[in-house]
Amino acid sequence: DAATVVAHAVTPAVPPAATARVVDAARRHGWTLELVRSAEFDDERYLSNPGDRCYFCKANLYDELTKLSLGLGGHAGWTLLSGANVDDLGEYRPGLTAAAEHDVRHPYVEAGVTKDGIRAMARAEGLGWASLAAAPCLASRLYTGTRVTATRLRAVDVGEELLRARTGVDVVRCRLREDEVSIEVRDEDRALVTDAVIADVAAAMRAVVPELGPVGLDIEAYAPGRSFLPVASVEPVA
């Protein structure tokens, strides 16, 4: 549809592999794609990583998308749409406040569609990402109050990519609390994260951020949103 533009944010908080996947999908499916560089990394309110960090991220993003819509000629009345779904409404999502302030609509929410429903529709359409593991932005790996920096996020991405490559596990998190790293996986995957794997992950992450401290497997299993909760004890092995 010529009146539909897909916008994708390109920032240090978005894994390069995710951007590459979107660019490839746009090419294969004929989307009109705009790569947007929002300004959250110029916003101290975001970089200081408060509990409502996501609000400042989305406020900056929607500011840029509003500018984009105003710059697109030929069509009046552009509407900003997001991929938020019904399941998101039961979680702490300060970004939804920013969306409301920018008159963003959420079609999946309006239609009562859940994450499972979205995956089912994607499978029905034969889309390869139907079973893709959930992957929030890289800044979600930093515990509240741990400053957001591009190098820290790059280290997280490097660590998680290596973990996936070495173990075949799709759900992995390298959480940072200041300079300490907690690796999270599901209970059934813990045995795959050996001391040797952790040592390699530590080396790869320290190649990006040399001052990183202990790197260890979290004593608790993976849990969404862990960075907004008190950090669990970590048993460092590297």
Side-chain angles (χ1 to χ4, degrees):
D1 189 331
T4 300
V5 174
V6 177
H8 173 74
V10 180
T11 83
V14 176
T19 297
R21 189 164 53 244
V22 171
V23 171
D24 179 65
R27 177 186 58 78
R28 289 187 291 107
H29 296 285
W31 301 344
T32 300
L33 176 65
E34 292 282 346
L35 299 179
V36 176
R37 287 169 172 78
S38 56
E40 71 269 23
F41 277 77
D42 297 323
D43 189 339
E44 178 59 30
R45 298 170 300 175
Y46 170 85
L47 297 175
S48 64
N49 198 8
D52 57 350
R53 180 198 68 243
C54 296
Y55 170 83
F56 300 110
C57 173
K58 287 296 193 289
N60 278 282
L61 174 61
Y62 291 138
D63 282 346
E64 291 303 314
L65 294 182
T66 299
K67 294 175 187 176
L68 173 64
S69 66
L70 292 174
L72 294 171
H75 301 283
W78 286 91
T79 300
L80 297 180
L81 307 178
S82 91
N85 62 81
V86 171
D87 291 333
D88 296 327
L89 302 182
E91 301 174 354
Y92 177 56
R93 298 272 180 167
L96 292 176
T97 300
E101 292 172 354
H102 289 78
D103 297 321
V104 176
R105 293 183 62 179
H106 313 292
Y108 292 130
V109 173
E110 294 176 16
V113 180
T114 64
K115 285 183 174 68
D116 285 344
I118 295 170
R119 290 186 185 279
M121 288 188 288
R123 282 192 294 271
E125 293 294 325
L127 300 176
W129 54 80
S131 300
L132 195 67
C137 80
L138 294 173
S140 70
R141 315 306 199 263
L142 307 186
Y143 276 88
T144 300
T146 295
R147 187 172 182 80
V148 179
T149 70
T151 51
R152 277 177 168 162
L153 300 189
R154 175 61 181 153
V156 166
D157 188 44
V158 166
E160 293 184 353
E161 285 289 327
L162 182 55
L163 278 163
R164 282 188 283 266
R166 289 286 302 276
T167 66
V169 174
D170 58 348
V171 178
V172 297
R173 297 289 187 269
C174 289
R175 308 264 195 209
L176 270 69
R177 188 176 191 183
E178 296 306 329
D179 294 320
E180 295 185 4
V181 182
S182 303
I183 296 172
E184 287 183 29
V185 295
R186 293 168 297 200
D187 268 334
E188 60 268 30
D189 297 324
R190 292 178 67 83
L192 298 172
V193 185
T194 63
D195 288 357
V197 169
I198 295 173
D200 287 347
V201 169
M205 294 182 72
R206 287 181 184 132
V208 181
V209 181
E211 63 271 21
L212 280 182
V215 179
L217 181 62
D218 200 298
I219 62 173
E220 296 185 25
Y222 160 75
R226 175 75 60 76
S227 60
F228 287 111
L229 303 173
V231 68
S233 298
V234 176
E235 300 168 342
V237 298

